[in-house]
PDB file of all heavy atoms in Angstrom:
ATOM      1  N   GLU A1352     -50.343  40.795  79.696  1.00 90.00           N
ATOM      2  CA  GLU A1352     -51.620  41.324  79.218  1.00 90.00           C
ATOM      3  C   GLU A1352     -51.962  42.629  79.946  1.00 90.00           C
ATOM      4  O   GLU A1352     -52.415  43.598  79.330  1.00 90.00           O
ATOM      5  CB  GLU A1352     -52.729  40.289  79.432  1.00 90.00           C
ATOM      6  CG  GLU A1352     -52.629  39.074  78.524  1.00 90.00           C
ATOM      7  CD  GLU A1352     -53.743  38.086  78.775  1.00 90.00           C
ATOM      8  OE1 GLU A1352     -54.572  38.322  79.682  1.00 90.00           O
ATOM      9  OE2 GLU A1352     -53.788  37.054  78.064  1.00 90.00           O
ATOM     10  N   TYR A1353     -51.744  42.622  81.245  1.00 91.00           N
ATOM     11  CA  TYR A1353     -52.058  43.813  82.041  1.00 91.00           C
ATOM     12  C   TYR A1353     -51.195  44.993  81.622  1.00 91.00           C
ATOM     13  O   TYR A1353     -51.666  46.141  81.519  1.00 91.00           O
ATOM     14  CB  TYR A1353     -51.869  43.520  83.528  1.00 91.00           C
ATOM     15  CG  TYR A1353     -52.123  44.712  84.420  1.00 91.00           C
ATOM     16  CD1 TYR A1353     -53.429  45.097  84.723  1.00 91.00           C
ATOM     17  CD2 TYR A1353     -51.070  45.453  84.945  1.00 91.00           C
ATOM     18  CE1 TYR A1353     -53.683  46.201  85.529  1.00 91.00           C
ATOM     19  CE2 TYR A1353     -51.308  46.558  85.753  1.00 91.00           C
ATOM     20  CZ  TYR A1353     -52.616  46.921  86.046  1.00 91.00           C
ATOM     21  OH  TYR A1353     -52.864  48.013  86.838  1.00 91.00           O
ATOM     22  N   LYS A1354     -49.922  44.738  81.371  1.00 93.00           N
ATOM     23  CA  LYS A1354     -49.005  45.790  80.957  1.00 93.00           C
ATOM     24  C   LYS A1354     -49.461  46.410  79.643  1.00 93.00           C
ATOM     25  O   LYS A1354     -49.485  47.642  79.484  1.00 93.00           O
ATOM     26  CB  LYS A1354     -47.600  45.213  80.807  1.00 93.00           C
ATOM     27  CG  LYS A1354     -46.541  46.240  80.453  1.00 93.00           C
ATOM     28  CD  LYS A1354     -45.157  45.599  80.377  1.00 93.00           C
ATOM     29  CE  LYS A1354     -44.087  46.634  80.002  1.00 93.00           C
ATOM     30  NZ  LYS A1354     -42.740  46.007  79.914  1.00 93.00           N
ATOM     31  N   SER A1355     -49.851  45.557  78.676  1.00 92.00           N
ATOM     32  CA  SER A1355     -50.320  46.056  77.380  1.00 92.00           C
ATOM     33  C   SER A1355     -51.627  46.821  77.529  1.00 92.00           C
ATOM     34  O   SER A1355     -51.817  47.882  76.916  1.00 92.00           O
ATOM     35  CB  SER A1355     -50.510  44.888  76.400  1.00 92.00           C
ATOM     36  OG  SER A1355     -49.284  44.265  76.117  1.00 92.00           O
ATOM     37  N   GLN A1356     -52.537  46.286  78.356  1.00 93.00           N
ATOM     38  CA  GLN A1356     -53.826  46.947  78.568  1.00 93.00           C
ATOM     39  C   GLN A1356     -53.638  48.306  79.226  1.00 93.00           C
ATOM     40  O   GLN A1356     -54.277  49.296  78.836  1.00 93.00           O
ATOM     41  CB  GLN A1356     -54.724  46.052  79.427  1.00 93.00           C
ATOM     42  CG  GLN A1356     -56.059  46.665  79.835  1.00 93.00           C
ATOM     43  CD  GLN A1356     -57.061  46.748  78.703  1.00 93.00           C
ATOM     44  OE1 GLN A1356     -56.746  46.445  77.554  1.00 93.00           O
ATOM     45  NE2 GLN A1356     -58.283  47.160  79.025  1.00 93.00           N
ATOM     46  N   THR A1357     -52.756  48.367  80.191  1.00 92.00           N
ATOM     47  CA  THR A1357     -52.508  49.622  80.892  1.00 92.00           C
ATOM     48  C   THR A1357     -51.935  50.679  79.948  1.00 92.00           C
ATOM     49  O   THR A1357     -52.342  51.847  79.969  1.00 92.00           O
ATOM     50  CB  THR A1357     -51.541  49.399  82.069  1.00 92.00           C
ATOM     51  OG1 THR A1357     -52.112  48.452  82.978  1.00 92.00           O
ATOM     52  CG2 THR A1357     -51.273  50.706  82.812  1.00 92.00           C
ATOM     53  N   ALA A1358     -51.022  50.248  79.102  1.00 92.00           N
ATOM     54  CA  ALA A1358     -50.430  51.176  78.131  1.00 92.00           C
ATOM     55  C   ALA A1358     -51.495  51.671  77.162  1.00 92.00           C
ATOM     56  O   ALA A1358     -51.514  52.857  76.788  1.00 92.00           O
ATOM     57  CB  ALA A1358     -49.299  50.481  77.381  1.00 92.00           C
ATOM     58  N   TRP A1359     -52.371  50.792  76.768  1.00 91.00           N
ATOM     59  CA  TRP A1359     -53.445  51.164  75.828  1.00 91.00           C
ATOM     60  C   TRP A1359     -54.391  52.177  76.476  1.00 91.00           C
ATOM     61  O   TRP A1359     -54.757  53.182  75.871  1.00 91.00           O
ATOM     62  CB  TRP A1359     -54.190  49.907  75.398  1.00 91.00           C
ATOM     63  CG  TRP A1359     -55.280  50.144  74.392  1.00 91.00           C
ATOM     64  CD1 TRP A1359     -55.128  50.577  73.107  1.00 91.00           C
ATOM     65  CD2 TRP A1359     -56.687  49.945  74.585  1.00 91.00           C
ATOM     66  NE1 TRP A1359     -56.357  50.655  72.481  1.00 91.00           N
ATOM     67  CE2 TRP A1359     -57.329  50.273  73.367  1.00 91.00           C
ATOM     68  CE3 TRP A1359     -57.456  49.512  75.654  1.00 91.00           C
ATOM     69  CZ2 TRP A1359     -58.697  50.184  73.200  1.00 91.00           C
ATOM     70  CZ3 TRP A1359     -58.829  49.412  75.494  1.00 91.00           C
ATOM     71  CH2 TRP A1359     -59.445  49.757  74.275  1.00 91.00           C
ATOM     72  N   LEU A1360     -54.781  51.898  77.725  1.00 89.00           N
ATOM     73  CA  LEU A1360     -55.684  52.812  78.425  1.00 89.00           C
ATOM     74  C   LEU A1360     -55.005  54.155  78.702  1.00 89.00           C
ATOM     75  O   LEU A1360     -55.635  55.208  78.632  1.00 89.00           O
ATOM     76  CB  LEU A1360     -56.145  52.176  79.738  1.00 89.00           C
ATOM     77  CG  LEU A1360     -57.037  50.936  79.615  1.00 89.00           C
ATOM     78  CD1 LEU A1360     -57.345  50.372  80.993  1.00 89.00           C
ATOM     79  CD2 LEU A1360     -58.327  51.254  78.871  1.00 89.00           C
ATOM     80  N   SER A1361     -53.712  54.101  79.004  1.00 89.00           N
ATOM     81  CA  SER A1361     -52.969  55.334  79.294  1.00 89.00           C
ATOM     82  C   SER A1361     -52.869  56.239  78.075  1.00 89.00           C
ATOM     83  O   SER A1361     -52.671  57.450  78.200  1.00 89.00           O
ATOM     84  CB  SER A1361     -51.557  54.987  79.793  1.00 89.00           C
ATOM     85  OG  SER A1361     -51.628  54.250  80.997  1.00 89.00           O
ATOM     86  N   SER A1362     -53.038  55.648  76.889  1.00 86.00           N
ATOM     87  CA  SER A1362     -52.982  56.448  75.661  1.00 86.00           C
ATOM     88  C   SER A1362     -54.238  57.279  75.465  1.00 86.00           C
ATOM     89  O   SER A1362     -54.324  58.099  74.546  1.00 86.00           O
ATOM     90  CB  SER A1362     -52.787  55.532  74.448  1.00 86.00           C
ATOM     91  OG  SER A1362     -53.966  54.773  74.200  1.00 86.00           O
ATOM     92  N   GLY A1363     -55.246  57.055  76.339  1.00 86.00           N
ATOM     93  CA  GLY A1363     -56.503  57.791  76.224  1.00 86.00           C
ATOM     94  C   GLY A1363     -57.487  57.144  75.268  1.00 86.00           C
ATOM     95  O   GLY A1363     -58.512  57.739  74.910  1.00 86.00           O
ATOM     96  N   ALA A1364     -57.198  55.889  74.840  1.00 81.00           N
ATOM     97  CA  ALA A1364     -58.040  55.216  73.845  1.00 81.00           C
ATOM     98  C   ALA A1364     -59.481  55.054  74.314  1.00 81.00           C
ATOM     99  O   ALA A1364     -60.415  55.126  73.518  1.00 81.00           O
ATOM    100  CB  ALA A1364     -57.437  53.855  73.515  1.00 81.00           C
ATOM    101  N   LEU A1365     -59.670  54.839  75.627  1.00 83.00           N
ATOM    102  CA  LEU A1365     -61.010  54.529  76.122  1.00 83.00           C
ATOM    103  C   LEU A1365     -61.882  55.767  76.325  1.00 83.00           C
ATOM    104  O   LEU A1365     -63.101  55.666  76.439  1.00 83.00           O
ATOM    105  CB  LEU A1365     -60.893  53.758  77.445  1.00 83.00           C
ATOM    106  CG  LEU A1365     -62.141  53.025  77.938  1.00 83.00           C
ATOM    107  CD1 LEU A1365     -62.597  52.003  76.902  1.00 83.00           C
ATOM    108  CD2 LEU A1365     -61.860  52.327  79.264  1.00 83.00           C
TER     109      LEU A1365
END
Side-chain angles (χ1 to χ4, degrees):
E1352 290 180 358
Y1353 178 78
K1354 183 178 179 181
S1355 295
Q1356 175 73 354
T1357 300
W1359 182 66
L1360 293 177
S1361 298
S1362 70
L1365 196 59

